[in-house]
Amino acid sequence: MNRVLSARPVVWLTWGALIFFMLNLVGIVGAVVTNSFAESWFGTWLPDGYTGKWYGEAWRDYRLLDVLVVTFQVAIAVVVISVLIGVPTAYALARRNFPGKKLLNVLFLLPILMPPMTYGIPLATVLYKFHLAGSMFGVIAANLVPAVPFVVLTMTPFIEQIDTKIESAARMCGANTVAIFTRVLAPLLVPGILAASILVLVRTVGMFELTFLTAGPTSQTLVVSLYEAMSSAGIRPQQMVDSMAVIYTGSMLVLLVIALRFVNPTQLVTRLKEPS
Amino acid sequence: MTGQRFAELHLDHVQRAFGDTVALKGMDLTIKGGEFVALLGPSGCGKSTALNCLAGLLPLTGGRITLDGKRIDDQPPEKRGFGMVFQNYALFPHMSVRRNIGFGLSMRKTPKAELNRRVDEAVRLVQLEEHQHKFPAQLSGGQQQRVAIARAIVLEPPLVLMDEPLSNLDAALRLEMRTEIRRLHQSLGLTTVYVTHDQEEALALADRLVVLRLGEVQQVGSPEEVYAHPVNRYVAGFMGYRNMIPVTVTSQEGENTTVHTEGGIKLVGVKREELSDKAVAAIRPEDFTVVTEAGDNTLDATVEIVEYHGREQAVEARLKNGERLHVRTNSRLAPGDAIKLKVPVERVLVFA
Amino acid sequence: MTALLSPRDRESPSPRDRKSLERASLKHRLAEKGVDRVLWLLVPGAVFVVLLFVYPFLYGLQLSFQPKGGGSPFQNYITFFSDSYLAETVWITLRLGLPAALFNVLASIPIAFRMRGRFRGKRALTTLLVVPITLGTVLTAEGLLAFFGPTGWFNRIWMALGADEPAKLTHNYWGVLFSLIITGFPFAFLLTLSYLSGIDPTLEQAAATLGASKRQRFRTITMPLLAPGLAVTFCLSFVLAFSVFPSAVMVGNPAGETHVMSIAAYETALRDNDFAMGSAIAMLMALVMLIVIGVVLIWRATLYRGATGGKG
């Protein structure tokens, strides 16, 4: 009881700041959502009237179906390829100590540490040189640069915590290398792969810079066409951009809710077993 | 259920190094079919290395292993067909008890009907009928241990390897599982190599003990031999000779050796090795008797610490020269008591 | 052949055996160093990182020394530092990135502290705090413009509270800073919470039994164990804030107050088609970022970085 009382001022300050932050956040999101449903809204507390027509118009005018299909294709391709490349790498890094391992670790850490612009511009230059920029291939390749290291980084500790004795036990039962991977390791890795995949998916859908630098007119993902729509505003009503932003946030929210079902966000760096 | 018997498994100068440190220095050992052999020693003595070399999980850096004359050390573990029980059980967490036990059979593409029959039999053998559809995480330590044993023996392997299988269990369960392992060995006759650091466990289970130290075999023999006649002070220390008194050798007559402690007390004992001047006299705590009269091989001591152990007391006493003695006795003693301790000549072993 | 063998040699391994032994021992020596067949698994990853990261980066580096207009190889860098409009971007970026990262990390600590342990609605609150990740820069920008704008809800309340004129919070430094906090805070919070959850609570309980007050426990137990994690969190938050691009354009003043390095790099490379100069700015960006991270990590190296008592 005493402890709770002595902590009061800090507690109130923390919750107060948090509520202020939240109120502003609600205001920011609320303003966009309200505007996306507004007939027109100039200099008043609330819009003059409400309509859902902007969603339809944005859907048609910005060809959102095409954009969503591209976004989906890019994201799935990035997830599949980054898992296929990243998981074997993570396995080797988790299980072996070999000369040059430190260097490789740094190389896999840098793309996550570097601002995307710093390697995005040279990468875009190289892709333009080989006439690969502007295509789906270029967008996928660029998005793989942070995605593969991300899979490696999340899967390495996950593999490390699987006891090597389990692999030995399978070997003693007569399992060869292929059987160990398919029958023992793969089922044990599924939760980790699922978690890494969903995080890569969220990151790729939200990745602006790399897609922006490498995409052409037919290979834009939702974030980029949203940005383009906003920069070229003035031609079309603000409400259309806002309704598009709401669509984007809605789909990200769905992804995040799915992600949180598979990943406990408090266990990103340490896997602490909470008593259930 | 009986294993495919072999006649002789031969370790010929088996060596294993990790970088510059040699964990196993040329081990020679012959294991006969049906035998229960225990590798005994403290951690770091090379016993687990030897077991992993036998299993094929560690490649050798020298020497060879032959099974009935056929070389096997170049084969991967999955080709050798041995069974192994790991210290932490290493059960597959994503498989039920039945699927864990049947894993090896399914790797050998055993027909479904036979697989089920043999898994049933193994489950019955380790008394897990009620738990066979559970997952490892739902089982207690002892039950997990039974699964691990069943998984190793269901294949009826020519050789079962056990790596400190009881060390993760609590004391009562350890005794129960010890009997269980002995019972399984007696009924199935599976050749077993068992690694442990617990001499009591090794003495209770094994037909033959191999005592290791720093990667070298110290003594090989039946439990009785090793217990009663340790070949050096190291094995003696491991076999319960807790008192190691530094002495000077004064005279030798055949086996019988007269020595003096640093405090000048005279002791007569049995020589176990070639001796120089300096030696140690090794005495078990239970070989002392508390006497009232002075005489040969009798030491004066003062009781310092008394532990109650039921029928016996464990006593720490101190000699006049400050040397500490461990004594087990039925007499009721109290700290501060002045006592005389007598030990028979044949129970004093003198080592170099 | 046999004639050459002395009787003693007969017991040594046959030539075939010996050969296989030598082979085994080479294999063994390599395996000892961790080199065996498992390393083949690294090949796709290594090829990938070299092809798509190392090569482009080095290509960009050498390109930056080949100025479009010819001249000294360092011409691009000389231009950057002599043109005050470009040179200033370094300070503009740092002035945005450092405070944003610092604020996000510092604000995360007390909130993460409140979120420790188990209580009702913890998952809901965590989700609520993480939601801003989904907003994306454009919705945040639109929202900031509408909410903090001269006729937005914020300024209406501000005026109703008695202010003389609306606060100018968009199309300048503050708009971008807010945007960085909104998008960066959830991330910093998650990481901090994650590090904090990894500290065994019994350590604090042990300190309490030894007579440490709540404040002393925080200062002597929790903070030292949390500090290395906070350093990493700061680095990652800084990287996020440092690469600010879309929000600096949309809610900032991209030609003036918030003309950050990434805008300069993008504009020279892809708008003016001067890839050499663009690469030079990108390299400088990487350099500035590595310096800041390097300083933080050197400081971190002086801290205790062992186990924090969390299982696994």
Side-chain angles (χ1 to χ4, degrees):
Chain A
M1 202 56 222
N2 195 11
R3 226 180 57 195
V4 175
L5 280 176
S6 71
R8 273 278 147 86
V10 186
V11 175
W12 283 118
L13 209 66
T14 311
W15 288 124
L18 198 59
I19 288 167
F20 181 73
F21 178 76
M22 285 295 177
L23 279 180
N24 281 302
L25 199 62
V26 168
I28 287 164
V29 177
V32 178
V33 175
T34 310
N35 196 32
S36 75
F37 286 107
E39 287 275 8
S40 65
W41 189 13
F42 292 108
T44 47
W45 274 95
L46 286 171
D48 304 336
Y50 297 96
T51 171
K53 69 176 177 186
W54 303 117
Y55 284 86
E57 286 190 19
W59 186 265
R60 273 191 310 279
D61 275 24
Y62 293 120
R63 311 174 65 85
L64 281 190
L65 185 65
D66 294 346
V67 173
L68 280 175
V69 168
V70 170
T71 309
F72 187 73
Q73 285 171 336
V74 168
I76 294 295
V78 168
V79 167
V80 170
I81 298 172
S82 60
V83 165
L84 285 180
I85 298 179
V87 173
T89 308
Y91 180 82
L93 286 175
R95 287 290 192 245
R96 292 288 183 276
N97 275 311
F98 50 90
K101 182 175 169 175
K102 278 225 169 94
L103 176 75
L104 212 56
N105 268 329
V106 170
L107 278 185
F108 278 113
L109 195 65
L110 276 180
I112 296 183
L113 271 184
M114 292 286 200
M117 270 290 170
T118 57
Y119 58 85
I121 286 176
L123 180 64
T125 314
V126 169
L127 288 175
Y128 275 110
K129 194 175 94 172
F130 292 110
H131 305 290
L132 291 170
S135 67
M136 283 277 275
F137 177 87
V139 174
I140 292 169
N143 275 291
L144 279 174
V145 175
V148 170
F150 188 79
V151 172
V152 172
L153 223 64
T154 47
M155 288 307 287
T156 308
F158 192 86
I159 293 171
E160 274 169 353
Q161 49 119 30
I162 295 176
D163 191 354
T164 50
K165 289 266 175 62
I166 289 191
E167 287 168 49
S168 299
R171 226 165 244 291
M172 292 308 293
C173 286
N176 58 25
T177 310
V178 175
I180 287 175
F181 264 90
T182 55
R183 300 279 304 268
V184 178
L185 281 178
L188 290 175
L189 290 180
V190 162
I193 292 178
L194 220 51
S197 306
I198 201 98
L199 290 174
V200 167
L201 194 72
V202 172
R203 280 176 61 109
T204 308
V205 173
M207 170 54 75
F208 172 77
E209 284 94 336
L210 291 174
T211 316
F212 181 63
L213 288 172
T214 50
T218 57
S219 51
Q220 280 183 356
T221 63
L222 191 51
V223 235
V224 176
S225 44
L226 193 50
Y227 176 83
E228 301 272 349
M230 190 175 171
S231 350
S232 60
I235 315 163
R236 295 194 178 82
Q238 196 72 32
Q239 285 94 323
M240 273 171 71
V241 178
D242 284 359
S243 52
M244 195 168 158
V246 172
I247 291 174
Y248 167 82
T249 300
S251 41
M252 281 297 270
L253 199 60
V254 170
L255 284 181
L256 191 81
V257 168
I258 297 172
L260 286 179
R261 289 201 71 84
F262 290 104
V263 192
N264 182 345
T266 61
Q267 300 189 350
L268 285 178
V269 286
T270 39
R271 257 162 233 288
L272 186 79
K273 278 211 180 82
E274 270 188 62
S276 45
Chain B
M1 199 189 276
T2 49
Q4 310 109 307
R5 275 288 180 90
F6 58 86
E8 222 177 53
L9 178 73
H10 195 61
L11 279 75
D12 182 12
H13 227 71
V14 168
Q15 196 193 52
R16 169 70 206 193
F18 297 95
D20 290 334
T21 49
V22 183
L24 199 60
K25 298 173 188 161
M27 182 178 186
D28 292 304
L29 184 68
T30 304
I31 297 166
K32 292 191 205 64
E35 226 182 355
F36 196 120
V37 175
L39 304 184
L40 177 64
S43 60
C45 72
K47 57 190 192 299
S48 289
T49 307
L51 197 76
N52 283 317
C53 285
L54 263 176
L57 294 169
L58 274 180
L60 309 186
T61 45
R64 49 156 83 197
I65 303 172
T66 51
L67 186 74
D68 284 341
K70 208 176 103 248
R71 193 163 171 189
I72 60 160
D73 57 81
D74 44 6
Q75 285 180 358
E78 62 267 27
K79 293 272 163 58
R80 297 190 192 184
F82 297 164
M84 184 153 175
V85 179
F86 292 84
Q87 185 174 6
N88 57 359
Y89 321 135
L91 299 179
F92 308 126
H94 58 299
M95 296 184 193
S96 68
V97 168
R98 278 192 74 87
R99 287 196 47 217
N100 257 289
I101 297 174
F103 183 80
L105 291 168
S106 72
M107 284 296 116
R108 283 166 178 70
K109 309 226 164 19
T110 313
K112 190 118 187 149
E114 194 197 337
L115 185 143
N116 280 328
R117 183 183 59 72
R118 285 171 70 175
V119 171
D120 283 340
E121 196 185 343
V123 165
R124 202 168 338 109
L125 209 58
V126 293
Q127 300 155 31
L128 281 173
E129 291 96 329
E130 289 167 43
H131 307 290
Q132 52 180 312
H133 297 295
K134 289 186 183 169
F135 283 85
Q138 299 166 287
L139 302 177
S140 70
Q143 288 162 346
Q144 292 187 26
Q145 179 61 270
R146 287 166 197 270
V147 180
I149 293 174
R151 185 176 67 180
I153 62 176
V154 72
L155 297 168
E156 303 173 13
L159 183 65
V160 181
L161 306 166
M162 297 195 176
D163 188 4
E164 308 220 21
L166 303 183
S167 60
N168 281 357
L169 301 176
D170 60 50
L173 206 52
R174 194 161 5 180
L175 285 181
E176 192 190 316
M177 283 308 296
R178 197 165 87 184
T179 318
E180 192 83 346
I181 288 173
R182 185 71 215 176
R183 190 175 60 79
L184 281 172
H185 179 254
Q186 271 170 15
S187 58
L188 302 178
L190 294 170
T191 316
T192 308
V193 177
Y194 187 102
V195 159
T196 179
H197 63 265
D198 181 341
Q199 97 276 12
E200 212 183 298
E201 214 171 279
L203 291 168
L205 284 170
D207 300 322
R208 219 142 54 92
L209 295 186
V210 179
V211 184
L212 285 155
R213 180 189 180 225
L214 300 174
E216 277 177 297
V217 175
Q218 305 291 306
Q219 188 171 6
V220 182
S222 69
E224 295 84 358
E225 272 165 15
V226 179
Y227 185 77
H229 306 291
V231 293
N232 59 29
R233 71 159 93 172
Y234 169 76
V235 179
F238 220 75
M239 283 296 142
Y241 289 79
R242 284 188 71 193
N243 299 302
M244 293 275 180
I245 308 167
V247 291
T248 319
V249 179
T250 41
S251 73
Q252 297 187 40
E253 273 174 57
E255 286 268 278
N256 280 11
T257 307
T258 308
V259 297
H260 280 84
T261 68
E262 276 160 25
I265 304 163
K266 184 181 136 192
L267 274 175
V268 183
V270 179
K271 168 176 99 163
R272 298 286 299 147
E273 289 177 278
E274 279 314 309
L275 300 173
S276 57
D277 273 9
K278 294 285 170 203
V280 289
I283 306 168
R284 279 214 178 86
E286 54 271 34
D287 287 335
F288 284 113
T289 33
V290 180
V291 293
T292 46
E293 281 166 45
D296 286 344
N297 271 13
T298 304
L299 308 165
D300 286 306
T302 312
V303 176
E304 286 200 332
I305 293 167
V306 177
E307 287 174 23
Y308 177 70
H309 282 207
R311 280 174 53 190
E312 286 180 323
Q313 280 184 331
V315 174
E316 194 177 292
R318 203 181 276 273
L319 294 177
K320 283 218 182 65
N321 65 3
E323 185 84 36
R324 248 180 253 157
L325 287 184
H326 301 279
V327 181
R328 289 182 85 94
T329 172
N330 293 328
S331 321
R332 296 290 144 188
L333 300 175
D337 289 355
I339 50 169
K340 296 187 195 314
L341 297 167
K342 188 175 172 66
V343 57
V345 170
E346 69 277 10
R347 310 293 340 158
V348 179
L349 304 186
V350 185
F351 294 108
Chain C
M1 182 75 190
T2 38
L4 291 170
L5 290 174
S6 67
R8 265 184 59 229
D9 282 338
R10 231 179 285 146
E11 282 192 303
S12 71
S14 72
R16 216 192 72 213
D17 274 358
R18 198 183 297 155
K19 207 169 160 196
S20 85
L21 243 165
E22 271 163 23
R23 215 174 40 231
S25 97
L26 176 67
K27 218 166 123 187
H28 168 76
R29 279 206 308 274
L30 285 172
E32 197 109 276
K33 294 203 174 106
V35 180
D36 60 12
R37 285 187 314 177
V38 170
L39 294 197
W40 284 108
L41 294 174
L42 288 173
V43 171
V47 168
F48 156 82
V49 81
V50 167
L51 223 57
L52 284 177
F53 182 71
V54 178
Y55 168 68
F57 204 88
L58 294 179
Y59 179 80
L61 189 63
Q62 62 89 23
L63 195 64
S64 73
F65 291 110
Q66 296 174 5
K68 205 179 174 189
S72 140
F74 297 102
Q75 191 54 50
N76 281 330
Y77 294 92
I78 294 168
T79 310
F80 182 87
F81 285 109
S82 52
D83 181 344
S84 69
Y85 183 61
L86 285 176
E88 237 182 11
T89 59
V90 177
W91 300 118
I92 290 174
T93 317
L94 285 177
R95 244 170 42 128
L96 274 169
L98 287 175
L102 208 60
F103 177 86
N104 286 340
V105 174
L106 291 182
S108 300
I109 301 172
I111 297 171
F113 245 81
R114 298 284 129 234
M115 300 285 293
R116 253 198 332 173
R118 291 149 60 81
F119 57 88
R120 243 181 35 185
K122 177 179 174 175
R123 209 177 168 88
L125 193 54
T126 314
T127 311
L128 207 62
L129 282 170
V130 177
V131 156
I133 288 180
T134 66
L135 296 181
T137 38
V138 173
L139 189 130
T140 313
E142 285 278 347
L144 282 169
L145 292 178
F147 182 73
F148 285 120
T151 60
W153 288 336
F154 184 87
N155 268 319
R156 283 175 174 279
I157 296 170
W158 181 246
M159 300 286 276
L161 289 175
D164 294 336
E165 51 182 286
K168 183 152 172 40
L169 296 170
T170 52
H171 290 302
N172 62 5
Y173 175 81
W174 294 105
V176 181
L177 191 66
F178 290 147
S179 166
L180 288 178
I181 288 171
I182 289 169
T183 42
F185 172 75
F187 184 74
F189 165 74
L190 272 188
L191 271 176
T192 308
L193 183 61
S194 183
Y195 279 113
L196 198 61
S197 312
I199 298 175
D200 189 346
T202 56
L203 294 178
E204 270 181 87
Q205 288 163 11
T209 63
L210 297 170
S213 70
K214 203 174 170 69
R215 179 167 306 176
Q216 286 170 319
R217 292 200 299 268
F218 179 75
R219 203 164 44 82
T220 58
I221 308 292
T222 316
M223 246 353 238
L225 292 175
L226 188 60
L230 289 181
V232 172
T233 309
F234 176 83
C235 284
L236 293 175
S237 302
F238 177 69
V239 171
L240 272 186
F242 187 72
S243 43
V244 51
F245 176 67
S247 60
V249 176
M250 291 182 288
V251 277
N253 174 11
E257 220 180 329
T258 65
H259 183 240
V260 292
M261 288 183 91
S262 41
I263 293 180
Y266 168 73
E267 284 181 346
T268 30
L270 289 153
R271 201 193 53 197
D272 308 342
N273 272 322
D274 187 347
F275 284 105
M277 186 67 197
S279 296
I281 300 177
M283 294 301 137
L284 285 171
M285 231 178 128
L287 185 71
V288 173
M289 204 224 43
L290 285 178
I291 289 173
V292 172
I293 288 188
V295 168
V296 175
L297 290 184
I298 286 170
W299 170 70
R300 181 177 179 265
T302 64
L303 303 171
Y304 168 80
R305 281 166 306 149
T308 51
K311 290 163 214 138

